[in-house]
């Protein structure tokens, strides 16, 4: 049985230090501020640099998915070292990243017939995807073979949940996610949307008035989702611009104090989701531990 290398696209939003510690190879998304020149996420621009730029220059960037060649390069490097490949991708309802990885795997399988290449559509985004990647690492390190790991990852999808709120509706409106009238009314009335991840997509869940109520709402919804099974879940808080860190950290500490298994650090929403919802998100992401599926 070959060992297997875990690859993920950068929309998983795992901090670079954690990716290095868990021997994860990342394939970057790209972002453009002028629709001509594209930067590679993490290699050319960090999420915090991205938010600083869009805030300072009032920009509405465009993202581009990883190419088939980018996936081939990452996969072939692992295959040449004698590894099999397990690749996890952003929800296929958000992006063509998954299909790029599938195409890359199909091409390489002809040259490496004795190796296994598996690509998983996580149906998740940001830290939910990232937690799935880390659960795959835990399974790998526990000695589970690649096929068993894939089976458990497919089961884990059903437990993933994300609740997010944003302070500004501007990017959602510019991206066509909400109408101009709704965005204007939301600003005037201080309406904050609650967005949930369902069926591989981010969808409106409800609306509340004021940031404090929005944060309480995503906390209450998260606790209700986990219910009596909270010991079976991992929880990660994510934020957009650096100014949101303190608030997200307060929510993380509150959950820890109540006995939830919360990631040590708050993660940063990367350019893929940040380009669509803007610089102000705070989200609570939940995923069951692989032992409970």
């Amino acid at each position: 049985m070959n060992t297997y290398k875990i690859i993920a696209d950068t929309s998983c939003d795992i901090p670079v230090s954690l990716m290095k510690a868990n021997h994860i190879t990342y394939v970057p998304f790209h972002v453009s501020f002028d629709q001509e020149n594209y930067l590679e996420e993490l290699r050319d621009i960090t999420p915090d640099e991205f938010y600083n730029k869009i805030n300072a220059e009032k920009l509405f960037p465009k993202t581009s998915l990883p190419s088939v060649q980018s996936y081939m390069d990452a996969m072939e490097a692992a295959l040449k070292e004698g590894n099999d490949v397990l690749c996890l991708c952003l929800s296929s309802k958000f992006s063509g990243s998954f299909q790029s990885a599938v195409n890359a795997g199909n091409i390489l399988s002809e040259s490496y017939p004795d190796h296994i290449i598996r690509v998983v559509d996580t149906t998740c985004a940001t830290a939910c995807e990232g937690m799935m990647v880390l659960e795959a690492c835990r399974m790998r390190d526990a000695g589970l073979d690649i096929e068993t790991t894939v089976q458990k990852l497919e089961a884990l999808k059903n437990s993933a949940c994300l609740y997010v709120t944003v302070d500004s509706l501007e990017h959602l409106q510019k991206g066509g996610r909400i109408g101009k009238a709704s965005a204007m009314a939301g600003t005037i009335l201080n309406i904050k949307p609650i967005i949930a991840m369902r069926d591989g997509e981010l969808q409106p869940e409800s609306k509340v008035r004021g940031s404090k109520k929005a944060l309480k709402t995503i906390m209450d919804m998260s606790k209700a989702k986990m219910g009596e099974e909270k010991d079976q879940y991992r929880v990660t808080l994510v934020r957009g611009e650096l100014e949101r860190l303190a608030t997200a950290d307060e929510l993380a500490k509150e959950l820890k104090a109540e006995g939830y298994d919360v990631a040590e650090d708050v993660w940063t929403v990367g350019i893929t989701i940040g380009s669509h919802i803007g610089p102000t998100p705070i989200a609570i992401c939940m995923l069951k531990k692989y032992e409970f599926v």
Side-chain angles (χ1 to χ4, degrees):
M1 181 180 71
N2 297 323
T3 56
Y4 53 98
K5 183 71 176 178
I6 292 175
I7 297 171
D9 58 40
T10 51
S11 63
C12 68
D13 294 344
I14 299 173
V16 172
S17 59
L18 265 182
M19 285 202 268
K20 289 180 178 177
N22 286 279
H23 309 290
I24 299 162
T25 296
Y26 68 81
V27 178
F29 271 77
H30 305 77
V31 64
S32 174
F33 300 101
D34 59 12
Q35 298 188 43
E36 291 183 11
N37 301 298
Y38 280 83
L39 302 174
E40 292 187 339
E41 185 173 18
L42 299 184
R43 293 176 183 167
D44 299 326
I45 187 169
T46 67
D48 280 334
E49 289 169 343
F50 165 79
Y51 288 121
N52 288 340
K53 187 172 180 66
I54 65 173
N55 279 333
E57 301 178 34
K58 304 300 180 185
L59 298 171
F60 296 91
K62 300 292 184 183
T63 57
S64 176
L65 55 87
S67 67
V68 173
Q69 188 61 55
S70 294
Y71 275 114
M72 287 181 64
D73 292 344
M75 291 177 178
E76 190 160 31
L79 294 165
K80 284 181 175 178
E81 293 176 351
N83 299 299
D84 292 333
V85 170
L86 173 56
C87 182
L88 291 86
C89 300
L90 173 67
S91 171
S92 60
K93 292 185 178 180
F94 285 167
S95 164
S97 177
F98 169 71
Q99 193 58 53
S100 286
V102 168
N103 292 344
N106 289 340
I107 293 168
L108 288 170
S109 64
E110 297 180 8
S111 301
Y112 297 88
D114 296 329
H115 287 269
I116 300 170
I117 303 172
R118 295 287 179 264
V119 182
V120 175
D121 177 359
T122 65
T123 69
C124 292
T126 188
C128 281
E129 178 189 349
M131 286 190 288
M132 283 193 68
V133 175
L134 292 178
E135 286 302 291
C137 292
R138 290 184 62 235
M139 288 185 261
R140 174 201 63 196
D141 296 346
L144 276 66
D145 62 66
I146 190 169
E147 300 294 10
T148 302
T149 297
V150 169
Q151 290 172 9
K152 286 188 171 288
L153 288 171
E154 291 293 338
L156 274 175
K157 291 179 186 181
N158 297 324
S159 72
C161 188
L162 176 158
Y163 295 114
V164 59
T165 187
V166 295
D167 197 48
S168 169
L169 302 174
E170 191 174 16
H171 281 260
L172 287 168
Q173 187 263 314
K174 289 287 186 181
R177 303 286 174 169
I178 61 173
K180 189 172 183 178
S182 295
M184 187 178 296
T187 301
I188 294 170
L189 299 173
N190 197 25
I191 298 296
K192 309 301 179 187
I194 306 298
I195 301 167
M197 188 177 66
R198 293 196 305 274
D199 301 322
E201 295 185 282
L202 292 177
Q203 301 178 10
E205 186 77 5
S206 65
K207 300 175 185 176
V208 298
R209 183 169 291 182
S211 296
K212 288 185 177 180
K213 189 169 183 180
L215 294 172
K216 183 180 185 303
T217 299
I218 64 171
M219 285 284 277
D220 291 344
M221 293 172 77
S222 299
K223 293 174 186 178
K225 168 67 178 177
M226 291 180 277
E228 298 300 318
E229 296 181 334
K230 71 178 185 181
D231 292 340
Q232 300 181 17
Y233 280 85
R234 297 188 192 281
V235 182
T236 301
L237 274 290
V238 294
R239 52 85 179 180
E241 61 192 3
L242 188 58
E243 288 79 0
R244 309 286 152 176
L245 174 57
T247 300
D249 193 47
E250 286 178 12
L251 299 183
K253 288 177 180 176
E254 180 180 333
L255 288 167
K256 286 177 187 176
E258 294 181 21
Y260 291 89
D261 186 351
V262 184
E264 190 66 28
D265 297 313
V266 173
W267 295 8
T268 307
V269 177
I271 65 172
T272 314
I273 302 302
S275 292
H276 294 288
I277 64 176
T280 63
I282 291 177
I284 302 173
C285 305
M286 297 147 277
L287 183 78
K288 276 194 174 182
K289 303 168 187 178
Y290 79 83
E291 295 92 340
F292 297 98
V293 298

